[in-house]
Amino acid sequence: MQREQWGSKLGFILAAAGSAIGLGNIWKFPYIAGENGGASFIFVYLICIAIIGLPVLIAEILLGRTTHRNPVGAFKALSKSKLWIGVGGMGVVSGFLILSFYAVIAGWSLGYIFEAIAGNFTIFNTGVLAAEHFNTLVSNLPWIIGYFTLFMLLTMLFVYLGIQKGIERGSKIMMPILFVLLIVLMIRGITLEGSEEGIAFLLHPDWSKINAQAILVALGHAFFTLSLGMGAMLTYGSYMSKNDNIPSAALQIIILDTVIALIAGVAIFTSVFAVGLDPSAGPGLIFHTIPAAFAKMPGGYFFSIIFFILLSIAALTSAISLLEVVVAYFVDELGWDRKIAVIILGFVVFLLGLPSALSFNVLADYTIFGKNFFDIVDFLASNILLPLGGLLISIFVGYIWGFDKVLVNLKEGSQNLFDNYPYIILTWKFFLKYLSPILIFIVLLHSLGILDIIF
Ligand code: PHE
């Protein structure tokens, strides 16, 4: 059967931006920026995105587009070595793992849409009350498992319908809605009295907070937010045509991802400060503080519904890309039918996610090194497998594939760039071969705690 392709370049960009823009942008970025020095952190983060994110993103898309395969098939097509094929396999495993816990949090977001509609937030006047409500919900097994299941079914639906009719069409509808909703929320935030304080909190530079730890957080987040290191962008790239310009597509994806994270930060902190709530709730910011912030502002009932719809859309388009990596592997390599693969693999992810969902209630006391099951899977995937995957992908494209072949393939669709701006290509080569591997290696050592032992 012929392998599907994106219907248009815009379709690819929206789908890839959909993968990149997710819980990472709206849930994680604002609170880590707030905790690590505001504008100074954002500055460091932008540098990480530019010198590591962009080069690795181009490398990943290129691997996919050249081979028209899933992560395992892509390495198989370019190398005989089991080691490199194993790197592709690691991507598929990461897809299973990340989706299994990602869908649990996304399920809360879905559940919160209905909480908002039911008006359950309107009574909160402190973040503490909202936090208690959150704790009651996540201890409620039918609630947490029910919305987790619903979210998985939605994700499966889009992947089931295929590249053009499912993922591309879904992204073309959902991404514009996401942009509009976020802009509505930002305008609501900045027009509240006292919102300047929120902007100051996010944008005031505090260089004293920029230490090795903050830089590593920025670098690690660059991977997660751009969906790098596990073959999601590789797989999406594999449905791309040879006429498309990869560097320009990668740049557009990165700009969209970054702008959305910044707007989300502004929307969230202006609201939180304007109503006088504590901005430092960390990971709980979105589920503890935000419902209370909306409860206190004019029109908050509607804005809270909008917020959780927006968060759920962002999570859904990312989850779709995670499931697609896994499905593409079973379809390309093992010859499974897409629809059957979606049903079986979706169910496997569901089973794998159950202990994560239960980590907030019945399994909460089962911990290893102070981490429950959810934390362990999150740490393993986000802090170890993604950077390791990114490191090996940059080494493969930088050294193993053969750089002349890399350039021949990259040139397809971007001849103009090669002719007019050859130094851009040279810079890419330099970053990919030298800077990215070294910096990613340091992040990995940090994740494994090795740096702490040395210093
Ligand atoms: N980029 C997504 C986010 O920011 C998460 C993700 C990671 C998606 C890896 C796919 C692959 O939420």
Side-chain angles (χ1 to χ4, degrees), residues 18-25 98 102 221 223-228 230 232 257 314 318-319 321-322 386:
S19 169
I21 298 166
L23 295 171
N25 303 60
I98 299 180
Y102 200 86
H221 185 64
F223 267 90
F224 188 79
T225 189
L226 292 175
S227 310
L228 292 178
M230 49 80 60
D257 185 76
S318 298
S321 73
L322 287 161
L386 291 189

Side-chain angles (χ1 to χ4, degrees), residues 163-290:
I163 298 305
Q164 284 200 13
K165 291 211 180 89
I167 303 179
E168 182 166 356
R169 192 167 19 156
S171 308
K172 278 186 163 164
I173 298 171
M174 288 190 281
M175 293 312 285
I177 298 180
L178 183 148
F179 298 140
V180 172
L181 295 185
L182 191 59
I183 288 173
V184 169
L185 284 176
M186 182 186 71
I187 294 175
R188 168 71 287 192
I190 50 185
T191 51
L192 287 168
E193 211 171 306
S195 63
E196 320 78 59
E197 266 183 82
I199 297 183
F201 176 76
L202 187 66
L203 298 185
H204 174 77
D206 179 358
W207 293 101
S208 70
K209 290 217 173 125
I210 301 301
N211 49 21
Q213 172 72 23
I215 297 175
L216 294 168
V217 169
L219 204 51
H221 185 64
F223 267 90
F224 188 79
T225 189
L226 292 175
S227 310
L228 292 178
M230 49 80 60
M233 291 300 183
L234 184 158
T235 306
Y236 273 12
S238 76
Y239 303 114
M240 213 179 174
S241 104
K242 297 269 182 219
N243 307 326
D244 290 334
N245 182 330
I246 296 182
S248 111
L251 188 66
Q252 293 178 53
I253 295 164
I254 286 204
I255 292 177
L256 283 173
D257 185 76
T258 308
V259 168
I260 295 290
L262 292 173
I263 300 184
V266 170
I268 288 172
F269 285 119
T270 47
S271 307
V272 170
F273 272 89
V275 298
L277 286 171
D278 176 12
S280 58
L285 185 65
I286 279 217
F287 295 104
H288 301 175
T289 315
I290 285 289

Side-chain angles (χ1 to χ4, degrees), residues 395-448:
I395 293 180
F396 184 81
V397 176
Y399 297 90
I400 311 288
W401 185 357
F403 217 78
D404 41 338
K405 284 186 228 145
V406 170
L407 291 180
V408 169
N409 285 297
L410 186 64
K411 216 180 247 176
E412 292 190 53
S414 58
Q415 183 69 45
N416 244 337
L417 190 69
F418 277 73
D419 293 344
N420 300 327
Y421 308 99
Y423 57 89
I424 293 191
I425 304 294
L426 285 178
T427 317
W428 176 66
K429 180 176 170 182
F430 173 76
F431 283 180
L432 190 71
K433 285 184 89 143
Y434 306 106
L435 266 180
S436 318
I438 295 171
L439 291 175
I440 303 171
F441 187 64
I442 298 176
V443 175
L444 253 181
L445 291 185
H446 169 76
S447 293
L448 295 168

